[in-house]
Amino acid sequence: MELLKIQQIEKYYGSKSSLTKAIDDISFSVEKGEFVAIMGASGSGKTTLLNCISTIDRVTAGHIYLEGADVTLLKGRGLNKFRRDNLGFIFQDFNLLDTLTAYENIALALSIQKKSAKEIDAAVKTVSEQLGITDVLNKYPYQMSGGQKQRVASARAIVTGPKLVLADEPTGALDSKSAKLLLERFRYLNRECGTTIMMVTHDSFTASYASRIIFIKDGRIFSELSRGDDSRKQFFDKIIDVVTLLGGDMSDAL
């Protein structure tokens, strides 16, 4: 079942005298329950693409549909409601509130949705077990490791049951052990809970946990890879082959 449809989107920055085309006629779709990674060198347009899908940025041309609804037409309160009800966000720098405990950070999104205390408690405990962070629920961000903070941020992103989770370089600030643990949790959420994830990353190892990868170069789709029945190691090797074809443009992906 198609969840997300990107139709011929373009994004320009700058003035008429100095235009930069960050996204150049990109089209693709994402099925419900997919785990898709977006890869590309710095300046390739991958983060701009994610920002447009997340409605943080607006497309210059084209359309973005979520379950058939054209999100490029939304404005004001309608746009805020769309983000709150349909999207979950995971950022590289966690974006946790320092004055709140892990439990309170996760519960905040549900409080905004005016859920009851009983509903909030049940949801927070469920997602905390899924992400392995029940032992840090009463801690503040300064008391947690980077990996724990990112898993708390991930719990906050999925606790409302969003249709689509958007992750921007989620392992970028983590050591290799914490990154692997987070990615294993992502894979669990995707496979066991049916969470649809779209993740931007520079890193081939991180991308190898996805089921499909879209490679972006100069604002356009360069190539796509689907994992199929490959093991993660086999998929990783194929990713490296594509990265090699891109040459120096993707040197920071290795």
Side-chain angles (χ1 to χ4, degrees), residues 107-225:
L108 185 60
L110 294 170
S111 299
I112 292 171
Q113 291 185 344
K114 302 188 185 307
K115 301 292 185 181
S116 69
K118 186 176 181 180
E119 287 176 306
I120 290 172
D121 190 62
V124 171
K125 287 179 178 176
T126 296
V127 76
S128 298
E129 289 173 3
Q130 290 171 341
L131 285 161
I133 50 171
T134 54
D135 57 331
V136 301
L137 286 179
N138 293 320
K139 292 184 178 181
Y140 291 90
Y142 76 89
Q143 297 172 308
M144 292 182 264
S145 68
Q148 289 170 334
K149 284 189 280 190
Q150 191 58 295
R151 279 182 282 150
V152 170
S154 300
R156 180 185 59 188
I158 67 169
V159 72
T160 58
K163 294 183 174 73
L164 179 64
V165 173
L166 301 166
D168 189 5
E169 300 282 4
T171 61
L174 304 181
D175 60 64
S176 57
K177 182 179 178 181
S178 297
K180 185 176 181 180
L181 181 56
L182 178 69
L183 292 166
E184 291 288 353
R185 297 297 179 176
F186 276 11
R187 186 157 63 177
Y188 170 83
L189 291 170
N190 174 248
R191 291 183 175 180
E192 304 302 323
C193 306
T195 305
T196 307
I197 302 171
M198 177 172 283
M199 173 179 69
V200 161
T201 182
H202 282 87
D203 181 58
S204 299
F205 176 81
T206 298
S208 69
Y209 279 81
S211 56
R212 179 162 62 110
I213 302 173
I214 299 171
F215 295 88
I216 305 293
K217 181 179 180 181
D218 299 330
R220 299 180 66 90
I221 293 178
F222 174 83
S223 180
E224 284 194 32
L225 275 181

Side-chain angles (χ1 to χ4, degrees), residues 27-44:
S27 298
F28 65 91
S29 61
V30 175
E31 297 294 308
K32 187 175 181 180
E34 267 199 291
F35 184 176
V36 178
I38 309 292
M39 291 190 75
S42 296
S44 62

Side-chain angles (χ1 to χ4, degrees), residues 9-12 21-26 45 48-49 52 219-220:
I9 65 169
E10 298 180 357
K11 177 63 182 178
Y12 295 86
K21 199 170 191 178
I23 298 178
D24 184 6
D25 193 26
I26 284 181
T48 300
L49 173 62
C52 288
R220 299 180 66 90

Side-chain angles (χ1 to χ4, degrees), residues 33-148:
E34 267 199 291
F35 184 176
V36 178
I38 309 292
M39 291 190 75
S42 296
S44 62
K46 63 186 185 304
T47 297
T48 300
L49 173 62
L50 193 75
N51 287 344
C52 288
I53 294 169
S54 69
T55 70
I56 291 173
D57 215 342
R58 299 190 73 87
V59 299
T60 305
H63 299 274
I64 298 171
Y65 300 93
L66 188 73
E67 290 191 330
D70 190 345
V71 304
T72 59
L73 301 178
L74 297 174
K75 296 179 181 178
R77 291 183 179 179
L79 187 57
N80 291 334
K81 185 178 187 301
F82 169 79
R83 290 173 184 153
R84 184 179 69 235
D85 295 346
N86 296 285
L87 304 178
F89 299 91
I90 304 171
F91 304 96
Q92 180 175 336
D93 56 359
F94 320 130
N95 283 7
L96 297 176
L97 296 176
D98 293 333
T99 57
L100 300 182
T101 64
Y103 183 101
E104 292 165 339
N105 266 284
I106 299 167
L108 185 60
L110 294 170
S111 299
I112 292 171
Q113 291 185 344
K114 302 188 185 307
K115 301 292 185 181
S116 69
K118 186 176 181 180
E119 287 176 306
I120 290 172
D121 190 62
V124 171
K125 287 179 178 176
T126 296
V127 76
S128 298
E129 289 173 3
Q130 290 171 341
L131 285 161
I133 50 171
T134 54
D135 57 331
V136 301
L137 286 179
N138 293 320
K139 292 184 178 181
Y140 291 90
Y142 76 89
Q143 297 172 308
M144 292 182 264
S145 68
Q148 289 170 334

